[in-house]
mmCIF file with all atom_site columns, all heavy atoms in Angstrom:
data_model
loop_
_atom_site.group_PDB
_atom_site.id
_atom_site.type_symbol
_atom_site.label_atom_id
_atom_site.label_alt_id
_atom_site.label_comp_id
_atom_site.label_asym_id
_atom_site.label_entity_id
_atom_site.label_seq_id
_atom_site.pdbx_PDB_ins_code
_atom_site.Cartn_x
_atom_site.Cartn_y
_atom_site.Cartn_z
_atom_site.occupancy
_atom_site.B_iso_or_equiv
_atom_site.pdbx_formal_charge
_atom_site.auth_seq_id
_atom_site.auth_comp_id
_atom_site.auth_asym_id
_atom_site.auth_atom_id
_atom_site.pdbx_PDB_model_num
ATOM 1   N N   . PHE K 1 18 ? -3.053  4.910  8.366  1.00 98.00 ? 18 PHE K N   1
ATOM 2   C CA  . PHE K 1 18 ? -2.423  3.865  7.524  1.00 98.00 ? 18 PHE K CA  1
ATOM 3   C C   . PHE K 1 18 ? -3.451  3.434  6.291  1.00 98.00 ? 18 PHE K C   1
ATOM 4   O O   . PHE K 1 18 ? -3.031  3.149  5.273  1.00 98.00 ? 18 PHE K O   1
ATOM 5   C CB  . PHE K 1 18 ? -2.101  2.513  8.427  1.00 98.00 ? 18 PHE K CB  1
ATOM 6   C CG  . PHE K 1 18 ? -1.010  2.829  9.312  1.00 98.00 ? 18 PHE K CG  1
ATOM 7   C CD1 . PHE K 1 18 ? -0.775  1.907  10.383 1.00 98.00 ? 18 PHE K CD1 1
ATOM 8   C CD2 . PHE K 1 18 ? -0.106  3.911  9.173  1.00 98.00 ? 18 PHE K CD2 1
ATOM 9   C CE1 . PHE K 1 18 ? 0.235   2.061  11.234 1.00 98.00 ? 18 PHE K CE1 1
ATOM 10  C CE2 . PHE K 1 18 ? 0.780   4.138  10.092 1.00 98.00 ? 18 PHE K CE2 1
ATOM 11  C CZ  . PHE K 1 18 ? 1.146   3.247  11.129 1.00 98.00 ? 18 PHE K CZ  1
ATOM 12  N N   . LYS K 1 19 ? -4.702  3.406  6.674  1.00 97.00 ? 19 LYS K N   1
ATOM 13  C CA  . LYS K 1 19 ? -5.622  3.050  5.670  1.00 97.00 ? 19 LYS K CA  1
ATOM 14  C C   . LYS K 1 19 ? -5.566  4.064  4.506  1.00 97.00 ? 19 LYS K C   1
ATOM 15  O O   . LYS K 1 19 ? -5.752  3.694  3.397  1.00 97.00 ? 19 LYS K O   1
ATOM 16  C CB  . LYS K 1 19 ? -7.070  2.908  6.264  1.00 97.00 ? 19 LYS K CB  1
ATOM 17  C CG  . LYS K 1 19 ? -8.133  2.528  5.280  1.00 97.00 ? 19 LYS K CG  1
ATOM 18  C CD  . LYS K 1 19 ? -9.522  2.481  5.869  1.00 97.00 ? 19 LYS K CD  1
ATOM 19  C CE  . LYS K 1 19 ? -10.559 2.031  4.886  1.00 97.00 ? 19 LYS K CE  1
ATOM 20  N NZ  . LYS K 1 19 ? -11.934 1.990  5.410  1.00 97.00 ? 19 LYS K NZ  1
ATOM 21  N N   . GLU K 1 20 ? -5.504  5.238  4.820  1.00 97.00 ? 20 GLU K N   1
ATOM 22  C CA  . GLU K 1 20 ? -5.514  6.316  3.789  1.00 97.00 ? 20 GLU K CA  1
ATOM 23  C C   . GLU K 1 20 ? -4.285  6.353  3.011  1.00 97.00 ? 20 GLU K C   1
ATOM 24  O O   . GLU K 1 20 ? -4.357  6.522  1.708  1.00 97.00 ? 20 GLU K O   1
ATOM 25  C CB  . GLU K 1 20 ? -5.815  7.674  4.378  1.00 97.00 ? 20 GLU K CB  1
ATOM 26  C CG  . GLU K 1 20 ? -7.271  8.131  4.682  1.00 97.00 ? 20 GLU K CG  1
ATOM 27  C CD  . GLU K 1 20 ? -7.292  9.405  5.399  1.00 97.00 ? 20 GLU K CD  1
ATOM 28  O OE1 . GLU K 1 20 ? -6.465  10.205 5.308  1.00 97.00 ? 20 GLU K OE1 1
ATOM 29  O OE2 . GLU K 1 20 ? -8.297  9.532  6.181  1.00 97.00 ? 20 GLU K OE2 1
ATOM 30  N N   . LYS K 1 21 ? -3.082  6.282  3.602  1.00 97.00 ? 21 LYS K N   1
ATOM 31  C CA  . LYS K 1 21 ? -1.979  6.500  2.862  1.00 97.00 ? 21 LYS K CA  1
ATOM 32  C C   . LYS K 1 21 ? -0.854  5.384  2.875  1.00 97.00 ? 21 LYS K C   1
ATOM 33  O O   . LYS K 1 21 ? 0.214   5.431  2.197  1.00 97.00 ? 21 LYS K O   1
ATOM 34  C CB  . LYS K 1 21 ? -1.162  7.740  3.404  1.00 97.00 ? 21 LYS K CB  1
ATOM 35  C CG  . LYS K 1 21 ? -2.112  8.977  3.517  1.00 97.00 ? 21 LYS K CG  1
ATOM 36  C CD  . LYS K 1 21 ? -1.390  10.332 3.612  1.00 97.00 ? 21 LYS K CD  1
ATOM 37  C CE  . LYS K 1 21 ? -0.511  10.446 4.900  1.00 97.00 ? 21 LYS K CE  1
ATOM 38  N NZ  . LYS K 1 21 ? 0.356   11.650 4.912  1.00 97.00 ? 21 LYS K NZ  1
ATOM 39  N N   . GLY K 1 22 ? -1.194  4.379  3.710  1.00 98.00 ? 22 GLY K N   1
ATOM 40  C CA  . GLY K 1 22 ? -0.165  3.341  3.884  1.00 98.00 ? 22 GLY K CA  1
ATOM 41  C C   . GLY K 1 22 ? 0.843   3.532  4.868  1.00 98.00 ? 22 GLY K C   1
ATOM 42  O O   . GLY K 1 22 ? 1.155   4.746  5.200  1.00 98.00 ? 22 GLY K O   1
ATOM 43  N N   . TYR K 1 23 ? 1.316   2.609  5.542  1.00 98.00 ? 23 TYR K N   1
ATOM 44  C CA  . TYR K 1 23 ? 2.365   2.643  6.587  1.00 98.00 ? 23 TYR K CA  1
ATOM 45  C C   . TYR K 1 23 ? 3.472   3.515  6.283  1.00 98.00 ? 23 TYR K C   1
ATOM 46  O O   . TYR K 1 23 ? 3.845   4.365  7.073  1.00 98.00 ? 23 TYR K O   1
ATOM 47  C CB  . TYR K 1 23 ? 2.841   1.209  6.958  1.00 98.00 ? 23 TYR K CB  1
ATOM 48  C CG  . TYR K 1 23 ? 3.831   1.240  8.026  1.00 98.00 ? 23 TYR K CG  1
ATOM 49  C CD1 . TYR K 1 23 ? 3.487   1.412  9.420  1.00 98.00 ? 23 TYR K CD1 1
ATOM 50  C CD2 . TYR K 1 23 ? 5.192   0.955  7.801  1.00 98.00 ? 23 TYR K CD2 1
ATOM 51  C CE1 . TYR K 1 23 ? 4.448   1.280  10.381 1.00 98.00 ? 23 TYR K CE1 1
ATOM 52  C CE2 . TYR K 1 23 ? 6.097   0.931  8.777  1.00 98.00 ? 23 TYR K CE2 1
ATOM 53  C CZ  . TYR K 1 23 ? 5.750   1.137  10.014 1.00 98.00 ? 23 TYR K CZ  1
ATOM 54  O OH  . TYR K 1 23 ? 6.765   1.104  11.063 1.00 98.00 ? 23 TYR K OH  1
ATOM 55  N N   . SER K 1 24 ? 4.125   3.325  5.214  1.00 98.00 ? 24 SER K N   1
ATOM 56  C CA  . SER K 1 24 ? 5.302   4.069  4.953  1.00 98.00 ? 24 SER K CA  1
ATOM 57  C C   . SER K 1 24 ? 5.142   5.583  4.750  1.00 98.00 ? 24 SER K C   1
ATOM 58  O O   . SER K 1 24 ? 6.012   6.400  4.953  1.00 98.00 ? 24 SER K O   1
ATOM 59  C CB  . SER K 1 24 ? 5.973   3.441  3.683  1.00 98.00 ? 24 SER K CB  1
ATOM 60  O OG  . SER K 1 24 ? 6.336   2.130  3.969  1.00 98.00 ? 24 SER K OG  1
ATOM 61  N N   . ALA K 1 25 ? 3.958   5.965  4.194  1.00 98.00 ? 25 ALA K N   1
ATOM 62  C CA  . ALA K 1 25 ? 3.628   7.311  3.840  1.00 98.00 ? 25 ALA K CA  1
ATOM 63  C C   . ALA K 1 25 ? 3.160   8.087  5.106  1.00 98.00 ? 25 ALA K C   1
ATOM 64  O O   . ALA K 1 25 ? 3.088   9.275  5.015  1.00 98.00 ? 25 ALA K O   1
ATOM 65  C CB  . ALA K 1 25 ? 2.720   7.405  2.752  1.00 98.00 ? 25 ALA K CB  1
ATOM 66  N N   . VAL K 1 26 ? 2.873   7.349  6.203  1.00 98.00 ? 26 VAL K N   1
ATOM 67  C CA  . VAL K 1 26 ? 2.507   8.015  7.409  1.00 98.00 ? 26 VAL K CA  1
ATOM 68  C C   . VAL K 1 26 ? 3.597   8.223  8.352  1.00 98.00 ? 26 VAL K C   1
ATOM 69  O O   . VAL K 1 26 ? 4.292   7.291  8.682  1.00 98.00 ? 26 VAL K O   1
ATOM 70  C CB  . VAL K 1 26 ? 1.399   7.191  8.121  1.00 98.00 ? 26 VAL K CB  1
ATOM 71  C CG1 . VAL K 1 26 ? 1.102   7.807  9.479  1.00 98.00 ? 26 VAL K CG1 1
ATOM 72  C CG2 . VAL K 1 26 ? 0.137   7.157  7.269  1.00 98.00 ? 26 VAL K CG2 1
ATOM 73  N N   . SER K 1 27 ? 3.829   9.412  8.719  1.00 98.00 ? 27 SER K N   1
ATOM 74  C CA  . SER K 1 27 ? 5.031   9.742  9.625  1.00 98.00 ? 27 SER K CA  1
ATOM 75  C C   . SER K 1 27 ? 4.551   9.699  11.087 1.00 98.00 ? 27 SER K C   1
ATOM 76  O O   . SER K 1 27 ? 3.329   9.826  11.395 1.00 98.00 ? 27 SER K O   1
ATOM 77  C CB  . SER K 1 27 ? 5.659   10.992 9.260  1.00 98.00 ? 27 SER K CB  1
ATOM 78  O OG  . SER K 1 27 ? 4.784   12.047 9.747  1.00 98.00 ? 27 SER K OG  1
ATOM 79  N N   . VAL K 1 28 ? 5.561   9.484  11.991 1.00 98.00 ? 28 VAL K N   1
ATOM 80  C CA  . VAL K 1 28 ? 5.256   9.565  13.310 1.00 98.00 ? 28 VAL K CA  1
ATOM 81  C C   . VAL K 1 28 ? 4.618   10.854 13.790 1.00 98.00 ? 28 VAL K C   1
ATOM 82  O O   . VAL K 1 28 ? 3.803   10.999 14.558 1.00 98.00 ? 28 VAL K O   1
ATOM 83  C CB  . VAL K 1 28 ? 6.528   9.225  14.138 1.00 98.00 ? 28 VAL K CB  1
ATOM 84  C CG1 . VAL K 1 28 ? 6.399   9.512  15.640 1.00 98.00 ? 28 VAL K CG1 1
ATOM 85  C CG2 . VAL K 1 28 ? 7.059   7.796  13.992 1.00 98.00 ? 28 VAL K CG2 1
ATOM 86  N N   . ARG K 1 29 ? 5.145   11.908 13.133 1.00 98.00 ? 29 ARG K N   1
ATOM 87  C CA  . ARG K 1 29 ? 4.555   13.293 13.393 1.00 98.00 ? 29 ARG K CA  1
ATOM 88  C C   . ARG K 1 29 ? 3.144   13.367 12.901 1.00 98.00 ? 29 ARG K C   1
ATOM 89  O O   . ARG K 1 29 ? 2.348   13.977 13.540 1.00 98.00 ? 29 ARG K O   1
ATOM 90  C CB  . ARG K 1 29 ? 5.352   14.290 12.629 1.00 98.00 ? 29 ARG K CB  1
ATOM 91  C CG  . ARG K 1 29 ? 6.649   14.572 13.248 1.00 98.00 ? 29 ARG K CG  1
ATOM 92  C CD  . ARG K 1 29 ? 7.744   15.313 12.411 1.00 98.00 ? 29 ARG K CD  1
ATOM 93  N NE  . ARG K 1 29 ? 8.913   15.624 13.096 1.00 98.00 ? 29 ARG K NE  1
ATOM 94  C CZ  . ARG K 1 29 ? 10.014  14.790 13.181 1.00 98.00 ? 29 ARG K CZ  1
ATOM 95  N NH1 . ARG K 1 29 ? 9.904   13.705 12.596 1.00 98.00 ? 29 ARG K NH1 1
ATOM 96  N NH2 . ARG K 1 29 ? 11.125  15.113 13.812 1.00 98.00 ? 29 ARG K NH2 1
ATOM 97  N N   . ASP K 1 30 ? 2.727   12.739 11.771 1.00 98.00 ? 30 ASP K N   1
ATOM 98  C CA  . ASP K 1 30 ? 1.340   12.651 11.430 1.00 98.00 ? 30 ASP K CA  1
ATOM 99  C C   . ASP K 1 30 ? 0.549   11.987 12.567 1.00 98.00 ? 30 ASP K C   1
ATOM 100 O O   . ASP K 1 30 ? -0.508  12.564 13.013 1.00 98.00 ? 30 ASP K O   1
ATOM 101 C CB  . ASP K 1 30 ? 1.089   11.730 10.108 1.00 98.00 ? 30 ASP K CB  1
ATOM 102 C CG  . ASP K 1 30 ? 1.692   12.430 8.901  1.00 98.00 ? 30 ASP K CG  1
ATOM 103 O OD1 . ASP K 1 30 ? 1.837   13.718 8.886  1.00 98.00 ? 30 ASP K OD1 1
ATOM 104 O OD2 . ASP K 1 30 ? 2.068   11.712 8.016  1.00 98.00 ? 30 ASP K OD2 1
ATOM 105 N N   . ILE K 1 31 ? 0.888   10.914 13.079 1.00 98.00 ? 31 ILE K N   1
ATOM 106 C CA  . ILE K 1 31 ? 0.174   10.215 14.181 1.00 98.00 ? 31 ILE K CA  1
ATOM 107 C C   . ILE K 1 31 ? 0.157   11.015 15.444 1.00 98.00 ? 31 ILE K C   1
ATOM 108 O O   . ILE K 1 31 ? -0.887  11.171 15.970 1.00 98.00 ? 31 ILE K O   1
ATOM 109 C CB  . ILE K 1 31 ? 0.981   8.865  14.431 1.00 98.00 ? 31 ILE K CB  1
ATOM 110 C CG1 . ILE K 1 31 ? 0.993   7.974  13.246 1.00 98.00 ? 31 ILE K CG1 1
ATOM 111 C CG2 . ILE K 1 31 ? 0.046   8.064  15.538 1.00 98.00 ? 31 ILE K CG2 1
ATOM 112 C CD1 . ILE K 1 31 ? 1.766   6.691  13.389 1.00 98.00 ? 31 ILE K CD1 1
ATOM 113 N N   . ALA K 1 32 ? 1.143   11.693 15.761 1.00 98.00 ? 32 ALA K N   1
ATOM 114 C CA  . ALA K 1 32 ? 1.123   12.564 16.817 1.00 98.00 ? 32 ALA K CA  1
ATOM 115 C C   . ALA K 1 32 ? 0.150   13.684 16.749 1.00 98.00 ? 32 ALA K C   1
ATOM 116 O O   . ALA K 1 32 ? -0.610  13.973 17.655 1.00 98.00 ? 32 ALA K O   1
ATOM 117 C CB  . ALA K 1 32 ? 2.547   13.282 17.031 1.00 98.00 ? 32 ALA K CB  1
ATOM 118 N N   . GLN K 1 33 ? 0.093   14.337 15.553 1.00 98.00 ? 33 GLN K N   1
ATOM 119 C CA  . GLN K 1 33 ? -0.777  15.365 15.354 1.00 98.00 ? 33 GLN K CA  1
ATOM 120 C C   . GLN K 1 33 ? -2.240  14.917 15.518 1.00 98.00 ? 33 GLN K C   1
ATOM 121 O O   . GLN K 1 33 ? -3.044  15.595 16.125 1.00 98.00 ? 33 GLN K O   1
ATOM 122 C CB  . GLN K 1 33 ? -0.715  16.007 13.863 1.00 98.00 ? 33 GLN K CB  1
ATOM 123 C CG  . GLN K 1 33 ? -1.301  17.198 13.641 1.00 98.00 ? 33 GLN K CG  1
ATOM 124 C CD  . GLN K 1 33 ? -1.146  17.796 12.263 1.00 98.00 ? 33 GLN K CD  1
ATOM 125 O OE1 . GLN K 1 33 ? -1.035  17.145 11.254 1.00 98.00 ? 33 GLN K OE1 1
ATOM 126 N NE2 . GLN K 1 33 ? -0.947  19.169 12.242 1.00 98.00 ? 33 GLN K NE2 1
ATOM 127 N N   . GLU K 1 34 ? -2.549  13.761 14.930 1.00 97.00 ? 34 GLU K N   1
ATOM 128 C CA  . GLU K 1 34 ? -3.912  13.226 15.050 1.00 97.00 ? 34 GLU K CA  1
ATOM 129 C C   . GLU K 1 34 ? -4.228  12.834 16.585 1.00 97.00 ? 34 GLU K C   1
ATOM 130 O O   . GLU K 1 34 ? -5.331  13.067 17.011 1.00 97.00 ? 34 GLU K O   1
ATOM 131 C CB  . GLU K 1 34 ? -3.897  11.860 14.435 1.00 97.00 ? 34 GLU K CB  1
ATOM 132 C CG  . GLU K 1 34 ? -5.302  11.374 14.005 1.00 97.00 ? 34 GLU K CG  1
ATOM 133 C CD  . GLU K 1 34 ? -5.824  12.059 12.748 1.00 97.00 ? 34 GLU K CD  1
ATOM 134 O OE1 . GLU K 1 34 ? -5.165  12.889 12.217 1.00 97.00 ? 34 GLU K OE1 1
ATOM 135 O OE2 . GLU K 1 34 ? -7.053  11.820 12.591 1.00 97.00 ? 34 GLU K OE2 1
ATOM 136 N N   . MET K 1 35 ? -3.227  12.712 17.363 1.00 97.00 ? 35 MET K N   1
ATOM 137 C CA  . MET K 1 35 ? -3.336  12.504 18.887 1.00 97.00 ? 35 MET K CA  1
ATOM 138 C C   . MET K 1 35 ? -3.399  13.830 19.502 1.00 97.00 ? 35 MET K C   1
ATOM 139 O O   . MET K 1 35 ? -3.578  13.846 20.803 1.00 97.00 ? 35 MET K O   1
ATOM 140 C CB  . MET K 1 35 ? -2.281  11.638 19.434 1.00 97.00 ? 35 MET K CB  1
ATOM 141 C CG  . MET K 1 35 ? -2.373  10.179 19.087 1.00 97.00 ? 35 MET K CG  1
ATOM 142 S SD  . MET K 1 35 ? -3.865  9.448  19.765 1.00 97.00 ? 35 MET K SD  1
ATOM 143 C CE  . MET K 1 35 ? -3.498  9.465  21.469 1.00 97.00 ? 35 MET K CE  1
ATOM 144 N N   . GLY K 1 36 ? -3.054  14.889 18.836 1.00 97.00 ? 36 GLY K N   1
ATOM 145 C CA  . GLY K 1 36 ? -3.014  16.185 19.596 1.00 97.00 ? 36 GLY K CA  1
ATOM 146 C C   . GLY K 1 36 ? -1.760  16.401 20.312 1.00 97.00 ? 36 GLY K C   1
ATOM 147 O O   . GLY K 1 36 ? -1.845  17.021 21.469 1.00 97.00 ? 36 GLY K O   1
ATOM 148 N N   . MET K 1 37 ? -0.632  15.829 20.055 1.00 97.00 ? 37 MET K N   1
ATOM 149 C CA  . MET K 1 37 ? 0.529   15.868 20.834 1.00 97.00 ? 37 MET K CA  1
ATOM 150 C C   . MET K 1 37 ? 1.743   15.988 19.892 1.00 97.00 ? 37 MET K C   1
ATOM 151 O O   . MET K 1 37 ? 1.678   15.900 18.712 1.00 97.00 ? 37 MET K O   1
ATOM 152 C CB  . MET K 1 37 ? 0.622   14.778 21.805 1.00 97.00 ? 37 MET K CB  1
ATOM 153 C CG  . MET K 1 37 ? 0.694   13.442 21.178 1.00 97.00 ? 37 MET K CG  1
ATOM 154 S SD  . MET K 1 37 ? 1.103   12.050 22.235 1.00 97.00 ? 37 MET K SD  1
ATOM 155 C CE  . MET K 1 37 ? -0.422  11.895 23.177 1.00 97.00 ? 37 MET K CE  1
ATOM 156 N N   . LYS K 1 38 ? 2.955   16.213 20.414 1.00 97.00 ? 38 LYS K N   1
ATOM 157 C CA  . LYS K 1 38 ? 4.104   16.184 19.556 1.00 97.00 ? 38 LYS K CA  1
ATOM 158 C C   . LYS K 1 38 ? 4.650   14.839 19.351 1.00 97.00 ? 38 LYS K C   1
ATOM 159 O O   . LYS K 1 38 ? 4.455   13.964 20.326 1.00 97.00 ? 38 LYS K O   1
ATOM 160 C CB  . LYS K 1 38 ? 5.208   17.039 20.280 1.00 97.00 ? 38 LYS K CB  1
ATOM 161 C CG  . LYS K 1 38 ? 4.802   18.619 20.261 1.00 97.00 ? 38 LYS K CG  1
ATOM 162 C CD  . LYS K 1 38 ? 4.667   19.229 18.900 1.00 97.00 ? 38 LYS K CD  1
ATOM 163 C CE  . LYS K 1 38 ? 3.885   20.450 18.779 1.00 97.00 ? 38 LYS K CE  1
ATOM 164 N NZ  . LYS K 1 38 ? 4.530   21.555 19.301 1.00 97.00 ? 38 LYS K NZ  1
ATOM 165 N N   . ALA K 1 39 ? 5.415   14.612 18.344 1.00 97.00 ? 39 ALA K N   1
ATOM 166 C CA  . ALA K 1 39 ? 5.966   13.323 17.980 1.00 97.00 ? 39 ALA K CA  1
ATOM 167 C C   . ALA K 1 39 ? 6.624   12.587 19.181 1.00 97.00 ? 39 ALA K C   1
ATOM 168 O O   . ALA K 1 39 ? 6.433   11.467 19.414 1.00 97.00 ? 39 ALA K O   1
ATOM 169 C CB  . ALA K 1 39 ? 6.822   13.375 16.728 1.00 97.00 ? 39 ALA K CB  1
ATOM 170 N N   . ALA K 1 40 ? 7.505   13.441 19.854 1.00 97.00 ? 40 ALA K N   1
ATOM 171 C CA  . ALA K 1 40 ? 8.312   12.678 20.894 1.00 97.00 ? 40 ALA K CA  1
ATOM 172 C C   . ALA K 1 40 ? 7.436   12.164 22.077 1.00 97.00 ? 40 ALA K C   1
ATOM 173 O O   . ALA K 1 40 ? 7.868   11.269 22.621 1.00 97.00 ? 40 ALA K O   1
ATOM 174 C CB  . ALA K 1 40 ? 9.397   13.772 21.461 1.00 97.00 ? 40 ALA K CB  1
ATOM 175 N N   . SER K 1 41 ? 6.292   12.880 22.250 1.00 97.00 ? 41 SER K N   1
ATOM 176 C CA  . SER K 1 41 ? 5.497   12.405 23.305 1.00 97.00 ? 41 SER K CA  1
ATOM 177 C C   . SER K 1 41 ? 4.838   11.097 23.057 1.00 97.00 ? 41 SER K C   1
ATOM 178 O O   . SER K 1 41 ? 4.621   10.307 24.106 1.00 97.00 ? 41 SER K O   1
ATOM 179 C CB  . SER K 1 41 ? 4.332   13.476 23.557 1.00 97.00 ? 41 SER K CB  1
ATOM 180 O OG  . SER K 1 41 ? 4.785   14.771 23.644 1.00 97.00 ? 41 SER K OG  1
#
Side-chain angles (χ1 to χ4, degrees):
Chain K
F18 293 164
K19 182 180 182 183
E20 272 174 32
K21 312 199 291 173
Y23 175 75
S24 303
V26 173
S27 74
V28 170
R29 285 167 179 82
D30 291 335
I31 300 170
Q33 189 173 42
E34 200 76 5
M35 290 290 299
M37 59 174 72
K38 292 299 165 68
S41 306

